[in-house]
Amino acid sequence: MNVQKCILRSCSIINSTSLFRGIKYFPPPVKFPDYEIPEKPKLKYVDKVPPLPPSIRPPKMQKRLRLMRGPETVHNSLMYQQYGVMALSGGRLKYSHMEMLRLNIGRKMDPSRMFAIWRIDPPWQPLTRKGQGQRMGGGKGAIDEYVTPIKAGRIIMELAGKCEYLEVKGILEDLAKKMPFKAIAVSQDVLDRMQRKEEEDERNNLNRYTMKYLI
């Protein structure tokens, strides 16, 4: 009898534990920032030519390569602390590049819970070009197009709202590959990690002749 009681007791214990064997733990849902979706959540249309009064002749400009040289020191962080596209090197953005960005992000984003903003100015720097086959001399050529100079570390556009990074990472990486210079998709966590790595490298640098010292 005692043997039978032990067998029945062990069977009851096995049955009671088997009920809890398949229970899985699901993490709580992500709490998104309480941002108000603007009335027009998609990227705004940019002008191909900067608006000037009709009485003013469009001024010409030198190349000003310093506008693309060095790191960006102002617009290098995310305003909404979510996601965006960041330039890794200097370059120029044309109207066609901005229009490509605007159309692609407008097709792929969900405007009911996401919104996108520009972090760069519309094309404003004039580039001149002479006609093919013209001789040297004769003054500066006519204005061919307008561009926006970009420095390394500049945030080009931001995407925010009720969405996770894995949800929009593919969209932003696809846009970054289409830029005329090196660019990557970033989130606030990625930027924090990059900043911590720079601080750690600077702290653990044993060479006293740093780049700052050389400059």
Side-chain angles (χ1 to χ4, degrees):
M1 292 296 291
N2 293 330
V3 176
Q4 290 179 354
K5 287 182 180 179
C6 291
I7 293 173
L8 291 173
R9 190 178 298 172
S10 61
C11 289
S12 63
I13 293 172
I14 292 172
N15 291 330
S16 62
T17 55
S18 64
L19 294 174
F20 300 96
R21 190 175 176 183
I23 292 179
K24 294 182 179 180
Y25 171 75
F26 295 98
V30 180
K31 291 185 179 180
F32 299 109
D34 191 15
Y35 293 138
E36 184 179 352
I37 305 291
E39 185 179 352
K40 295 182 179 180
K42 298 183 180 181
L43 288 176
K44 295 181 180 179
Y45 177 80
V46 295
D47 294 325
K48 189 174 184 179
V49 177
L52 292 173
S55 59
I56 295 180
R57 186 177 180 181
K60 300 177 183 179
M61 193 179 294
Q62 295 177 342
K63 293 182 180 179
R64 294 191 182 181
L65 300 179
R66 65 180 182 275
L67 298 176
M68 300 180 288
R69 197 175 293 139
E72 177 64 41
T73 58
V74 180
H75 303 283
N76 54 7
S77 59
L78 296 170
M79 287 175 54
Y80 292 97
Q81 297 183 353
Q82 283 196 281
Y83 325 112
V85 177
M86 184 179 72
L88 291 180
S89 61
R92 291 185 175 123
L93 274 181
K94 301 180 181 179
Y95 167 79
S96 57
H97 300 135
M98 296 186 182
E99 192 68 8
M100 177 271 300
L101 272 174
R102 187 182 69 85
L103 294 176
N104 275 271
I105 199 70
R107 292 192 197 102
K108 297 177 181 178
M109 68 177 281
D110 185 1
S112 63
R113 55 191 180 90
M114 304 177 193
F115 63 96
I117 60 168
W118 289 112
R119 290 296 304 276
I120 55 175
D121 300 322
W124 61 271
Q125 184 183 14
L127 293 183
T128 59
R129 181 176 296 178
K130 288 194 172 184
Q132 190 174 6
Q134 288 190 7
R135 292 176 177 269
M136 301 218 16
K140 198 168 181 64
I143 295 176
D144 181 58
E145 60 183 348
Y146 289 86
V147 297
T148 300
I150 302 292
K151 289 186 176 183
R154 177 72 183 256
I155 302 295
I156 300 172
M157 55 83 58
E158 280 192 50
L159 183 65
K162 298 180 180 179
C163 55
E164 296 186 35
Y165 183 52
L166 292 177
E167 186 179 354
V168 299
K169 184 179 179 182
I171 301 174
L172 298 177
E173 285 181 346
D174 183 50
L175 295 176
K177 290 178 184 177
K178 296 179 179 179
M179 293 288 97
F181 41 76
K182 290 184 179 180
I184 57 170
V186 295
S187 65
Q188 188 62 39
D189 295 337
V190 173
L191 290 180
D192 293 341
R193 234 180 291 134
M194 292 169 64
Q195 186 176 3
R196 284 196 299 268
K197 188 177 183 305
E198 288 180 4
E199 292 174 356
E200 185 179 355
D201 292 343
E202 186 176 356
R203 190 167 54 250
N204 298 331
N205 186 16
L206 300 178
N207 186 4
R208 60 178 180 175
Y209 299 106
T210 60
M211 184 59 66
K212 185 178 181 180
Y213 172 81
L214 295 174
I215 293 173

